[in-house]
Amino acid sequence: MRFALVFNPFKYKVHEENLRIVQKYFGMFPPLSLAWVAAIARQAGHEVIIIDARTLNLTKEGVLDRLKSFKPDIMGFMMTTYMFPETLEWIRYLKKGLDIPIVVGGYNLRVYPEESISHPEIDYGVIEQALDTIPQLFSALEGKGRLEDVDGLVYKDKGLIKINPTKLVDFDKYPNPARDLLPNELYAEFPTERKNFTVMITSLGCPYHCTFCEAGRTVYNPRRPMTVVNEMEECYNKYGIREIDIFDYDFTVDKDRTIAICHEIRKRNLDILWACRSRVDIDKEMLKEMKEAGCGRIYYGIESGSQEMLDRVKKGIRLDQIRETIRATKKLGIRALGFFLIGSPGETKKTVKKTVRFAKELKLDYVQFSKCLAKPLTPLWKEMVHNMGKDYWKDWILGKETDRPLPRHWTKLTNEEIDHMARWAYVSYHSQPYFLLKAVLKVRSFTEFKRKFSAFLDMVFSQEDISIKDPKFIAYHEEAKKLDFYIKGHT
Ligand code: B12
């Protein structure tokens, strides 16, 4: 089969957790899920392309032209709940131009498999992982099997939607993501220090159960240390990658695995700067090992400066632990970033101020203040469904709902106040003389200075007080000139 995977661009949403300016400067990331799917399909003997229309800034027409020259038998798209409508719009357009089957996958399929493929343009959905499902589906489409025997498939049969049971897969058995199909030199994120840059996932799931997070209590499924470092080495040798952001929900969950990865990176002498996400109840010995293996940044889930708020979202950490870990991280020379939540259960203006004061006290290198959102499958979502008397996200997938701010029954703060406080938190944090001075002193290049300074100005002057739609929204292209070369001169 000839399989074309398309990553479509997406707009800013009023209901999303980040402010518009944060989303704008977030970065340009490889469509990793599609790269996994591509590698799986290729391993089963199929020919695959990925068109990263978002990063290459391609129009629907431009993508259709590329697809026509590849002549695919089937097309695939990754679907998140939040960006579902515009992915569907792209599917509609491209299906009209090519008239071939469409298969979708991604997190949203786990939540709303039936609703996702209820749209007439979509033929098949992969509910969980593609590892077994895609090879089995393609065999069935080639007449070598039956759709009802394909694990974890959602499909249509004589007007009825049918769902086949899923099986747990071993993440270690995956081939490495097909980064050879991606424009690796174009990716970057806000704090990037080296090029080429990529993201990695070394484990699935998270054993903790914070009430605001979609990953809570999902099966922890790690890749073995050797597999992880083999992928890193491939990135280094094949794609010239020198910086990696590990996007695992919690990279440091398993101390032995983390330390084994660090030892292996050092053994192979891989000069890679890497970042990861972690809880603050991290082992200090392990921190040292991480630093020695090239860890340059750790993104900690701190959430709040109020112990009561931390307890209410079942975070299971203490303020003194946070202080101690941030101190230890900075002492080792690792940059520390804090993720904070604004508008979580019981939040008041007073607790937001406490959180911002706490963030300042920690002297973090980066901060992210997100608005607490009722994400599908979370306890907060269950509360929202109960209070609204309907499931907003289900209706959103069915095309019956609009992009609008969602109620937060768990706090007395209004949505307007939460927007306002989130913006204030950014401006207040980044206006500290200490922070400004440090930011200027630590800047390594003019590009980095420009990126950080314009993000600051945008947050002060362009970020609206109350989130509004932005039809002209485009994410920041730091490498605009290179991009131009890529589109015109690269095949
Ligand atoms: C890397 C990443 C990104 C990257 C790249 C996008 C991507 N997914 O490749 C960037 C930064 C661009 C990104 C953007 C966004 N992301 Co994101 N992202 C991730 C992350 C951290 C890792 C993805 C990954 O590689 N996982 C490992 C692989 C093995 O698992 P997988 O992704 O589920 O893919 C498997 C199956 O789902 C399936 N599959 C997936 N896609 C497809 C497509 C086809 C055709 C088929 C057949 C199968 C298939 O097969 C894959 C292999 O088995 C996940 C969290 C996570 N840990 O998974 C969030 C996650 C997918 N993202 C999420 C969100 C919310 C977003 C954004 C909306 C954030 C924002 N506001 O901008 C955007 C939307 C992007 C879009 N177009 O819709 C949510 C989705 C939640 C939901 N309810 O839908 C997740 C689950 C994080 C979370 N818990 O909140 N993301």
Side-chain angles (χ1 to χ4, degrees), residues 23 31-33 36 80-81 107 110 128-130 174 214 249:
Q23 175 74 299
L32 193 64
S33 309
W36 291 107
T80 59
T81 307
Y107 192 93
R110 274 165 232 184
E128 290 264 346
Q129 297 294 337
Y174 277 56
E214 280 148 316
Y249 291 116

Side-chain angles (χ1 to χ4, degrees), residues 17 29 45 91 111 136 154 177-178 190 201 214 273 278 311 391 410 417 447 465 467 479:
E17 57 189 333
F29 299 86
I91 292 175
V111 197
Q136 290 175 12
V154 52
F190 187 70
I201 285 283
E214 280 148 316
L273 176 78
S278 173
D311 297 343
D391 182 356
W410 53 78
E417 283 168 332
T447 333
D465 222 22
S467 290
E479 301 276 339

Side-chain angles (χ1 to χ4, degrees), residues 199-468:
V199 298
M200 250 177 95
I201 285 283
T202 77
S203 64
L204 304 176
C206 174
Y208 295 94
H209 42 84
C210 312
T211 64
F212 54 86
C213 179
E214 280 148 316
R217 283 209 183 91
T218 48
V219 180
Y220 178 63
N221 189 345
R223 305 242 278 171
R224 289 177 186 80
M226 284 298 168
T227 318
V228 172
V229 184
N230 286 347
E231 186 182 331
M232 286 182 165
E233 193 168 21
E234 179 182 274
C235 285
Y236 188 88
N237 290 332
K238 245 174 119 177
Y239 312 119
I241 283 163
R242 297 293 178 266
E243 182 169 325
I244 298 176
D245 190 349
I246 301 173
F247 265 51
D248 297 24
Y249 291 116
D250 185 354
F251 177 65
T252 61
V253 158
D254 178 345
K255 181 179 164 191
D256 293 343
R257 188 188 87 115
T258 313
I259 291 182
I261 292 173
C262 292
H263 285 173
E264 195 57 30
I265 294 175
R266 289 176 66 194
K267 200 168 133 200
R268 298 195 202 181
N269 234 337
L270 292 179
D271 177 24
I272 290 178
L273 176 78
W274 54 276
C276 66
R277 282 138 192 79
S278 173
R279 285 172 60 84
V280 296
D281 43 10
I282 188 173
D283 183 276
K284 306 297 174 301
E285 269 312 299
M286 178 167 69
L287 257 183
K288 240 191 255 160
E289 298 278 357
M290 289 164 69
K291 170 67 187 171
E292 280 164 20
C295 176
R297 291 191 300 274
I298 303 183
Y299 299 61
Y300 288 109
I302 299 176
E303 323 307 348
S304 178
S306 147
Q307 188 61 52
E308 194 200 326
M309 306 281 298
L310 287 175
D311 297 343
R312 285 184 76 151
V313 295
K314 299 199 168 42
K315 186 72 193 179
I317 56 171
R318 297 184 318 271
L319 294 177
D320 59 309
Q321 251 174 344
I322 302 175
R323 287 192 185 96
E324 199 190 309
T325 295
I326 301 300
R327 211 178 299 128
T329 306
K330 289 167 64 99
K331 201 167 161 209
L332 283 167
I334 301 177
R335 292 187 181 191
L337 180 143
F339 288 125
F340 294 92
L341 273 181
I342 306 275
S344 48
E347 187 93 279
T348 59
K349 284 187 181 167
K350 218 167 136 188
T351 56
V352 177
K353 285 182 185 153
K354 211 168 169 182
T355 295
V356 175
R357 258 202 318 272
F358 186 57
K360 287 179 179 171
E361 176 201 322
L362 295 172
K363 293 196 167 51
L364 294 155
D365 294 289
Y366 301 97
V367 283
Q368 188 169 315
F369 296 101
S370 301
K371 298 182 278 175
C372 184
L373 177 70
K375 298 177 180 179
L377 297 186
T378 61
L380 287 186
W381 163 74
K382 285 184 192 143
E383 250 184 63
M384 182 177 83
V385 173
H386 177 77
N387 281 304
M388 284 176 101
K390 64 174 199 153
D391 182 356
Y392 169 88
W393 293 118
K394 189 190 255 191
D395 286 349
W396 168 251
I397 300 303
L398 291 170
K400 295 183 194 163
E401 262 294 358
T402 54
D403 174 21
R404 61 185 170 101
L406 297 184
R408 293 176 169 93
H409 301 91
W410 53 78
T411 161
K412 290 204 175 79
L413 290 178
T414 63
N415 282 329
E416 289 76 15
E417 283 168 332
I418 289 170
D419 273 331
H420 172 81
M421 299 291 294
R423 175 170 175 256
W424 168 79
Y426 277 108
V427 175
S428 168
Y429 191 86
H430 292 102
S431 308
Q432 299 173 85
Y434 157 83
F435 185 86
L436 288 170
L437 182 69
K438 199 181 66 174
V440 170
L441 291 177
K442 280 204 176 161
V443 147
R444 287 156 207 238
S445 66
F446 182 61
T447 333
E448 190 187 339
F449 173 76
K450 224 171 56 187
R451 179 198 323 148
K452 292 186 172 166
F453 191 57
S454 42
F456 176 72
L457 291 182
D458 259 2
M459 184 54 83
V460 176
F461 297 111
S462 305
Q463 174 63 48
E464 51 286 335
D465 222 22
I466 296 170
S467 290
I468 49 162

Side-chain angles (χ1 to χ4, degrees), residues 5 7 10 16 23 29-34 36-37 40 54 76-78 80-83 103-108 110 126 128-131 134 171 174 201 204 214 247 249:
L5 293 157
F7 190 55
F10 47 91
E16 77 179 62
Q23 175 74 299
F29 299 86
L32 193 64
S33 309
L34 294 183
W36 291 107
V37 177
I40 291 165
R54 178 181 194 231
F77 294 81
M78 191 273 289
T80 59
T81 307
Y82 317 105
M83 307 303 172
V103 57
V104 297
Y107 192 93
N108 187 60
R110 274 165 232 184
V126 173
E128 290 264 346
Q129 297 294 337
L131 189 66
I134 277 294
F171 194 31
Y174 277 56
I201 285 283
L204 304 176
E214 280 148 316
F247 265 51
Y249 291 116

Side-chain angles (χ1 to χ4, degrees), residues 53-123:
R54 178 181 194 231
T55 303
L56 297 177
N57 214 4
L58 299 175
T59 58
K60 291 191 184 85
E61 294 75 16
V63 171
L64 184 59
D65 281 349
R66 285 178 182 223
L67 287 170
K68 278 184 176 159
S69 63
F70 177 67
K71 298 193 180 63
D73 301 307
I74 184 162
M75 245 187 309
F77 294 81
M78 191 273 289
M79 300 206 117
T80 59
T81 307
Y82 317 105
M83 307 303 172
F84 188 91
E86 56 223 288
T87 303
L88 184 62
E89 198 185 302
W90 274 69
I91 292 175
R92 280 193 179 131
Y93 178 86
L94 296 173
K95 175 124 180 173
K96 222 175 180 183
L98 288 170
D99 197 22
I100 54 172
I102 304 286
V103 57
V104 297
Y107 192 93
N108 187 60
L109 269 289
R110 274 165 232 184
V111 197
Y112 301 112
E114 241 177 294
E115 293 78 7
S116 298
I117 84 148
S118 67
H119 298 275
E121 301 79 8
I122 303 178
D123 302 281

